[in-house]
Amino acid sequence: MKKLLMVTNAPICPVINGSRKRMYNLVKLLEKAGFEVQIVISNDRVGYMSTKEQMPNKVHFFDSDRKKPYLAVKRGELREKLPIKALRLYPIPYMIDDMFPNGLDDFVAKLHSREHFDYVMVEYVFMSKALTKLGKEVTKIIDTHDILADRAYMYYDIGVKPKTFYTNKHQERKGLLRADIILAIQKDERRYFAKQVRNRRRVLTIGNYFETAEHTEVKQNRKVLFVGSNNDPNREALQYYLNDIWKKVKKRVPEAEFLIAGDVSNSVEASELYTKVGYVDDLTDVYDEARVVVNPMLSGTGLPIKSIEAMAYGKAMVMTESGARGLYREGKEPKAFLLAHNTDEFIDKLVLLLTDDEKVAGVQKCCRKFVTRYNERIFQAIVRGIKKS
């Protein structure tokens, strides 16, 4: 059995956001493909303990001194001081190793000398330094999650400063070239990363794997669900939905109800217009309760994990183009969900799913087929692209 080490600076459990769902499901998929997977988590001891308790894998913990390079600290201070208008001109990108835990590269190399891994995979390109002290006997992999070059502008467009890592293309390329294999979360990003490394590395499309529901009945209610963690793109999407869509839908379908699940519900005050479900460990019952799921995202990169997850539960969805990125071909209307190209279309298509049982049943049937085929492509990419490398 091939041995693979996954290295992450964030815990996997509790599975409270998209990136953790990505890692959790990727571990399960790798095991299904016949890998023995071990995990290294850095700095978050509580998250490490939670992951160790909830996953059967061998989990290692690395605690760095948390010191940052002098220039990284100064760049961070500048980002705090400068207004968005100035940062648009020069966003002061992170250098590729600015967030890397000191000494983790040595820890991974020492662990490899004891465990003899066939593969080492890091989560996000800013963790790529963990690959630099491994020999040629190890296949080095970066699971990118997102394009991080020039990502700051996505946040500036909605009037906020990013609280997470972003960089420029030069620094991103430097990190990518440390790997033998690069995992992109969807096809558009695969093409981007292949261009970034000038086709000098193998780039595979590995989306998010979710087990599909056996059968989903059409719910005889008018409940609409939005699920999200409490980050800027999700808050922007929720505000757009509440301000521009939901009130108009309620006028046409007065008995309609709106449920907000996940930590994004903490971003809005209580209201008679919706129900705040909040964070729950297991979303099964929440999805089961809803007739329709929406993804009104206006910005973002990577793959909208919430969309794949909802379809895996067999739910009919209405999505914006951003909410469906990587899931449909440009110019072709999808059958597995309803795609809204503008606000009026979103309203009309949501009303359709709230009032037409036959339409919901048809979309649900198509979405289950979509996710089944999607999962098979991911599995084959793992087997052919990674295991046989």
Side-chain angles (χ1 to χ4, degrees):
M1 182 179 284
K2 297 285 188 179
K3 295 177 71 173
L4 181 145
L5 178 68
M6 175 182 283
V7 182
T8 170
N9 74 327
I12 299 176
C13 299
V15 185
I16 59 173
N17 57 36
S19 63
R20 293 189 186 192
K21 287 177 183 177
R22 163 74 174 178
M23 292 188 286
Y24 182 87
N25 289 329
L26 187 55
V27 169
K28 298 303 179 187
L29 181 61
L30 288 163
E31 290 173 337
K32 183 178 179 179
F35 291 87
E36 176 195 327
V37 181
Q38 296 186 30
I39 302 164
V40 171
I41 293 171
S42 65
N43 292 349
D44 188 334
R45 187 175 291 277
V46 174
Y48 155 73
M49 293 301 297
S50 179
T51 304
K52 192 172 182 179
E53 289 169 4
Q54 295 181 46
M55 299 184 74
N57 307 76
K58 193 171 184 179
V59 184
H60 311 271
F61 180 68
F62 174 76
D63 197 9
S64 77
D65 58 16
R66 292 174 172 77
K67 292 180 180 178
K68 293 184 178 180
Y70 174 79
L71 289 178
V73 173
K74 291 300 177 184
R75 284 192 291 271
E77 291 173 355
L78 268 177
R79 289 186 204 104
E80 287 295 319
K81 290 178 181 178
L82 292 177
I84 289 175
K85 186 176 180 180
L87 289 170
R88 275 188 173 278
L89 298 175
Y90 184 67
I92 313 179
Y94 288 80
M95 299 297 100
I96 195 63
D97 298 327
D98 277 0
M99 289 180 62
F100 187 77
N102 294 329
L104 179 59
D105 48 345
D106 291 319
F107 179 85
V108 169
K110 187 176 180 180
L111 188 60
H112 167 60
S113 68
R114 187 175 78 232
E115 296 284 349
H116 307 290
F117 296 107
D118 300 289
Y119 308 85
V120 174
M121 175 189 295
V122 299
E123 299 299 314
Y124 289 99
V125 68
F126 56 75
M127 294 293 285
S128 60
K129 190 177 178 182
L131 304 173
T132 57
K133 294 187 177 179
L134 300 170
K136 292 183 178 180
E137 77 280 2
V138 181
T139 300
K140 305 167 192 70
I141 305 169
I142 296 174
D143 182 24
T144 56
H145 288 251
D146 289 303
I147 295 171
L148 299 181
D150 301 328
R151 183 178 171 84
Y153 296 104
M154 177 183 78
Y155 290 89
Y156 299 153
D157 287 344
I158 59 175
V160 297
K161 293 182 182 181
K163 297 180 177 65
T164 55
F165 183 94
Y166 64 90
T167 189
N168 57 30
K169 288 186 177 180
H170 173 75
Q171 287 293 310
E172 185 179 56
R173 182 181 298 115
K174 177 182 175 180
L176 293 169
L177 289 172
R178 291 166 170 169
D180 303 305
I181 299 174
I182 297 161
L183 306 187
I185 208 163
Q186 44 111 320
K187 289 181 180 179
D188 289 342
E189 296 199 357
R190 179 187 62 76
R191 288 190 284 269
Y192 166 84
F193 288 123
K195 186 177 180 180
Q196 263 286 65
V197 297
R198 302 182 177 96
N199 293 310
R200 290 161 57 190
R201 298 291 186 270
R202 187 185 309 172
V203 185
L204 306 175
T205 303
I206 306 292
N208 286 293
Y209 187 95
F210 285 97
E211 295 292 342
T212 55
E214 289 296 321
H215 176 69
T216 307
E217 295 180 352
V218 177
K219 286 291 176 180
Q220 297 303 309
N221 61 36
R222 300 294 180 264
K223 293 183 179 181
V224 181
L225 173 67
F226 176 65
V227 179
S229 56
N230 195 8
N231 59 36
D232 290 321
N234 282 336
R235 288 192 290 270
E236 177 197 34
L238 181 57
Q239 287 302 319
Y240 161 63
Y241 180 84
L242 291 174
N243 294 337
D244 297 357
I245 295 170
W246 183 235
K247 290 178 183 178
K248 294 177 182 178
V249 171
K250 283 282 285 182
K251 283 183 180 179
R252 293 168 62 178
V253 189
E255 67 273 28
E257 301 176 55
F258 183 43
L259 312 178
I260 308 171
D263 286 336
V264 72
S265 63
N266 295 329
S267 69
V268 292
E269 298 294 330
S271 170
E272 293 180 355
L273 284 172
Y274 47 77
T275 299
K276 295 171 58 171
V277 178
Y279 170 76
V280 291
D281 288 324
D282 186 350
L283 286 167
T284 302
D285 291 340
V286 178
Y287 276 113
D288 185 59
E289 188 178 352
R291 176 184 174 97
V292 183
V293 179
V294 293
N295 187 347
M297 301 293 289
L298 298 176
S299 59
T301 59
L303 187 75
I305 293 175
K306 62 173 66 66
S307 297
I308 290 289
E309 180 179 60
M311 287 195 291
Y313 276 102
K315 290 298 171 179
M317 293 195 72
V318 185
M319 307 184 204
T320 55
E321 292 176 345
S322 181
R325 62 190 179 274
L327 299 178
Y328 72 101
R329 292 180 184 175
E330 198 71 39
K332 188 174 181 181
E333 207 63 27
K335 295 180 180 179
F337 53 89
L338 300 191
L339 181 64
H341 301 281
N342 55 55
T343 301
D344 288 339
E345 274 195 19
F346 203 113
I347 294 165
D348 290 341
K349 290 181 177 182
L350 179 52
V351 169
L352 176 64
L353 291 181
L354 286 171
T355 56
D356 189 331
D357 288 357
E358 188 175 339
K359 184 65 177 179
V360 174
V363 174
Q364 287 181 170
K365 183 178 179 181
C366 289
C367 79
R368 285 193 296 272
K369 289 181 179 178
F370 176 93
V371 176
T372 298
R373 291 195 299 267
Y374 178 85
N375 283 344
E376 182 58 26
R377 287 196 298 269
I378 295 171
F379 182 74
Q380 291 302 323
I382 291 283
V383 172
R384 296 172 184 170
I386 297 180
K387 195 173 184 182
K388 293 184 179 179
S389 63

